[in-house]
Amino acid sequence: MARLDPHSYFDSDQARTRHLDIAFDVDFARRVIAARVVLDLGGPSRGPLDLDTKGLAIGAVRTGDGRPVPFALGPEEPILGRRLRLELPADSTAVEIVYETTPDAVALQWLDPAQTEGKRHPFLFSQCQSIHARTMLPCQDSPYVRTPYRAAVTIPDALAAVMSAGPAGERTGPRPGTKTWLFEMPQPIPSYLLALAVGDLAARDLSPRARVWAEPATVEKAAWEFAGVEQMIVTAERLFGPYPWDRYDMLVLPPSFPYGGMENPRMTFLTPTLLAGDRSLVDVVAHELAHSWTGNLVTNATMDHFWLNEGFTVWAERRIVEALHGAEAVALAWAIGQNALDESVARFGAESPLTRLRTDLAGVDPDEAFSSIPYEKGARFVALLERTVGRERFDRFIQAYLGRFRFTSITTEDFVAFLEVQLPGVAAQVDSRAWLHEVGMPANAPVFRSGALEALTALAEGFAGGARPAAAQIAAWSPAETLIYLQHLPREVGANACAWLDANLRLTGRGNHEILVEWLVIAAGSDYEPVFGRVREVLSRVGRMKYLRPLYTALGRHPRTRQLARDLYARAGPGYHVLSRRVIESVMEKYRDG
Ligand code: BES
Ligand code: ZN
């Protein structure tokens, strides 16, 4: 018996799923999916097969040729869920499981019409990373296991369905008023990249291979914001090789989507907070697109190697941004990343094992280990390798890495071994052992300098002493520069200073949520009443965890904002994604009384 992944019951000595055939019947009234999945085992197998499940109601299990399969559900484990052990009779080449999800499946958020832009239809979306696919279907829910899949999704006929797969047609549904949408994902993907969304959706083509989906009321705005995506794909292909997934489509979700973006293959999921109206937040699209190579093509084998996904992708995202917008823009992006990295290290503590790149998350919920560390420390490690060998050699290395491991799932150790073969001695030269296995930030971390950056931070650091930027200066700042300025201001300033900032930088009315939330963190943390209305508005609409955590944290600083937070959460809480609720509850637990 070999359990290779601390977050899965997947056993490498047992049969491995080679293909999934999924039938989902989406029931908005009951908030469940009635489902059937066929796991193709690729050849005759027998004996135990352990699957991951969480909150699934298992109805029947039979072999592909209809023989009953005895099964047993193990006890509920808090992180893992319940092991579903099947006892396969001899010569089982496939197994079919009939089951239902439960209304509180973590992977699925069911929205009332009121939580959508159009207010007329309900909405459903999934978010499986890291270990929530098991709340949507019984499977070997470890990225070690990759499968192509096919799906038939039955939904109300007024709605549309998208998946992390190619469209494969539609047919009339099994009941009046229903329609069945067909999907096909021919390339093998890990379970965390399974994705589904259902709602009142419209689409706009951005290029022959890229399209954006959104609610009808949002789709034009989305098409404008992401009009440059084809150019991004072409740029990424120059760096990382031909785009391997055929189409690159995007879905803009309702605002409760808990992440900025999710790299579901062929269908990136995006928060609507990216629709700033000035294309200033498209680096998130560059990031999700870059995952098409780093993450989706070469995948972390378990969450202990998550930095292989995110560190490489942040580095790749910045290479794309550099090619499109230049070195100065990228220096600012690294600075914004540094701020996020510092916040994460401070939150966990510099000595925390969660500051390692290669982690040991046995017994740890990946959602609780989530931070900017695998992203930004990981990207700095990759950038250090790049600087050490030079860009030309490193680009060849990256192409070789992607070629060698394409459509496989690898560990940190696999990466290090490959690095040693391709670029002998470099690992030792940069002290990769310290980067990967030690806590905190190594002393040889690369530094990203820029004149603009130094001027901005100096100006912000002089704020408490009375330094103020001139109107002409402010007017010339890009959104990234404004954000960096705000990030370097004191966390608490007086009411006059707040009023000055808002009047001169016009912050409360901003549509760029990076800037808006950074401002609200300062202003709410300063107990500055004029922004309370906007705080209320943002927190009752937006469910992106990146914004909720700092805002609810800032609201904890003063008695009256603490009360505001509690009132708000009591009202907005039920509309948040369960993952967002968990984050906010952990933040509010740390509030002092009063
Ligand atoms: N894959 C992540 C999102 C994720 C990670 C979801 C782990 C669940 C568990 C995605 O690619 C991501 O990193 N999104 C970022 C944006 C990015 C520009 C850093 C986000 O959501 O903010
Ligand atoms: Zn990512």
Side-chain angles (χ1 to χ4, degrees):
M1 121 128 191
R3 292 245 327 258
L4 301 177
D5 183 337
H7 298 115
S8 173
Y9 287 109
F10 160 62
D11 185 329
S12 63
D13 292 341
Q14 302 176 351
R16 213 180 255 245
T17 314
R18 301 294 173 181
H19 181 269
L20 288 172
D21 195 336
I22 299 167
F24 282 156
D25 197 332
V26 177
D27 185 340
F28 279 100
R30 290 167 57 227
R31 297 195 157 187
V32 303
I33 298 178
R36 178 191 56 76
V37 61
V38 178
L39 285 63
D40 191 319
L41 305 174
S45 300
R46 68 180 301 166
L49 177 64
D50 294 338
L51 302 178
D52 295 294
T53 77
K54 201 169 193 179
L56 299 178
I58 307 295
V61 186
R62 33 186 183 254
T63 60
D65 51 6
R67 292 172 288 158
V69 174
F71 66 91
L73 277 167
E76 178 81 36
E77 298 289 335
I79 297 167
L80 287 170
R82 299 178 74 177
R83 185 185 74 184
L84 174 62
R85 170 161 290 182
L86 312 182
E87 292 293 344
L88 302 174
D91 295 322
S92 302
T93 55
V95 52
E96 179 188 45
I97 304 171
V98 179
Y99 69 97
E100 275 192 4
T101 63
T102 39
D104 52 5
V106 175
L108 302 173
Q109 192 180 12
W110 301 83
L111 302 180
D112 290 329
Q115 290 173 276
T116 67
E117 197 73 43
K119 314 282 179 215
R120 288 186 46 225
H121 297 281
F123 201 104
L124 166 68
F125 68 81
S126 70
Q127 168 56 47
C128 288
Q129 199 179 13
S130 299
I131 56 168
H132 305 307
R134 65 196 62 179
T135 70
M136 190 161 85
L137 80 169
C139 61
Q140 291 174 311
D141 195 9
S142 165
Y144 265 113
V145 178
R146 314 177 67 104
T147 60
Y149 77 91
R150 196 166 38 229
V153 183
T154 297
I155 60 170
D157 61 10
L159 305 182
V162 299
M163 289 194 83
S164 53
E170 278 168 43
R171 57 178 189 232
T172 46
R175 295 176 304 283
T178 63
K179 210 167 175 181
T180 300
W181 293 59
L182 306 175
F183 299 93
E184 175 100 43
M185 168 46 88
Q187 291 106 329
I189 60 158
S191 52
Y192 78 83
L193 293 176
L194 268 169
L196 167 71
V198 180
D200 181 14
L201 296 174
R204 290 290 177 274
D205 282 337
L206 304 172
S207 83
R209 59 174 163 175
R211 171 178 300 162
V212 64
W213 290 83
E215 284 192 66
T218 314
V219 75
E220 295 303 341
K221 198 172 185 216
W224 185 87
E225 203 83 31
F226 304 133
V229 72
E230 177 61 33
Q231 208 190 338
M232 253 184 201
I233 304 172
V234 169
T235 306
E237 286 187 308
R238 263 186 223 128
L239 290 164
F240 311 123
Y243 178 71
W245 303 90
D246 186 27
R247 294 196 57 85
Y248 183 74
D249 295 337
M250 296 167 282
L251 169 68
V252 178
L253 288 127
S256 70
F257 186 59
Y259 290 97
M262 177 65 213
E263 66 272 25
N264 299 130
R266 296 180 183 226
M267 186 62 72
T268 284
F269 282 18
L270 296 168
T271 168
T273 61
L274 301 185
L275 305 177
D278 59 5
R279 299 182 180 154
S280 56
L281 299 176
V282 293
D283 54 340
V284 176
V285 176
H287 178 94
E288 306 313 334
L289 171 65
H291 271 307
S292 304
W293 290 267
T294 50
N296 297 0
L297 196 57
V298 179
T299 307
N300 55 212
T302 76
M303 284 305 283
D304 283 332
H305 312 284
F306 185 53
W307 80 274
L308 287 174
N309 273 23
E310 298 299 345
F312 272 89
T313 299
V314 169
W315 170 83
E317 162 204 337
R318 292 191 183 143
R319 286 296 302 273
I320 295 171
V321 170
E322 184 186 324
L324 290 172
H325 303 299
E328 191 67 22
V330 147
L332 300 181
W334 282 104
I336 292 166
Q338 183 70 46
N339 191 69
L341 176 58
D342 294 344
E343 179 280 329
S344 292
V345 172
R347 182 154 55 86
F348 289 145
E351 298 297 313
S352 163
L354 294 179
T355 65
R356 297 184 175 128
L357 286 180
R358 170 36 164 125
T359 53
D360 177 8
L361 297 179
V364 180
D365 183 338
D367 288 325
E368 279 170 25
F370 183 84
S371 80
S372 291
I373 292 161
Y375 290 76
E376 296 293 341
K377 184 178 178 181
R380 279 160 179 73
F381 177 50
V382 179
L384 176 63
L385 293 171
E386 178 187 4
R387 281 190 183 183
T388 303
V389 303
R391 187 164 269 190
E392 237 175 89
R393 260 178 96 198
F394 194 68
D395 282 359
R396 280 202 303 277
F397 168 77
I398 286 290
Q399 300 247 6
Y401 168 70
L402 295 170
R404 166 65 184 83
F405 295 115
R406 58 192 277 119
F407 294 114
T408 69
S409 303
I410 67 167
T411 63
T412 303
E413 294 69 43
D414 294 328
F415 167 74
V416 171
F418 185 75
L419 177 68
E420 194 50 37
V421 170
Q422 296 288 314
L423 299 170
V426 171
Q429 203 183 332
V430 302
D431 197 2
S432 68
R433 199 200 43 81
W435 276 90
L436 298 170
H437 302 291
E438 282 179 14
V439 299
M441 282 303 287
N444 63 348
V447 180
F448 303 89
R449 278 187 212 292
S450 118
L453 180 62
E454 271 151 42
L456 282 167
T457 53
L459 192 55
E461 278 151 19
F463 189 88
R468 296 290 182 273
Q473 234 174 334
I474 294 170
W477 283 345
S478 67
E481 289 175 302
T482 306
L483 179 61
I484 290 170
Y485 177 70
L486 292 177
Q487 285 180 338
H488 287 84
L489 290 177
R491 297 298 84 187
E492 199 165 336
V493 298
N496 288 338
C498 283
W500 188 91
L501 285 167
D502 205 8
N504 288 277
L505 281 83
R506 295 181 321 281
L507 295 165
T508 304
R510 293 261 179 165
N512 177 316
H513 279 63
E514 295 291 322
I515 294 174
L516 174 63
V517 170
E518 191 65 32
W519 158 241
L520 294 178
V521 162
I522 296 169
S526 306
D527 200 24
Y528 182 61
E529 194 171 3
V531 301
F532 290 2
R534 184 66 157 145
V535 169
R536 246 188 234 109
E537 186 278 317
V538 170
L539 290 182
S540 15
R541 177 173 47 88
V542 176
R544 185 175 175 188
M545 292 187 281
K546 181 181 182 189
Y547 299 147
L548 296 178
R549 185 195 296 279
L551 254 181
Y552 274 97
T553 303
L555 291 170
R557 293 177 84 109
H558 296 276
R560 136 171 115 144
T561 52
R562 277 202 288 283
Q563 199 48 49
L564 173 63
R566 291 191 183 110
D567 293 347
L568 261 166
Y569 187 60
R571 271 196 292 126
Y576 290 136
H577 193 284
V578 52
L579 297 174
S580 306
R581 283 207 299 273
R582 285 181 191 165
V583 164
I584 298 165
E585 280 165 22
S586 84
V587 166
M588 300 213 325
E589 256 165 44
K590 294 183 204 106
Y591 283 11
R592 283 175 290 120
D593 293 333

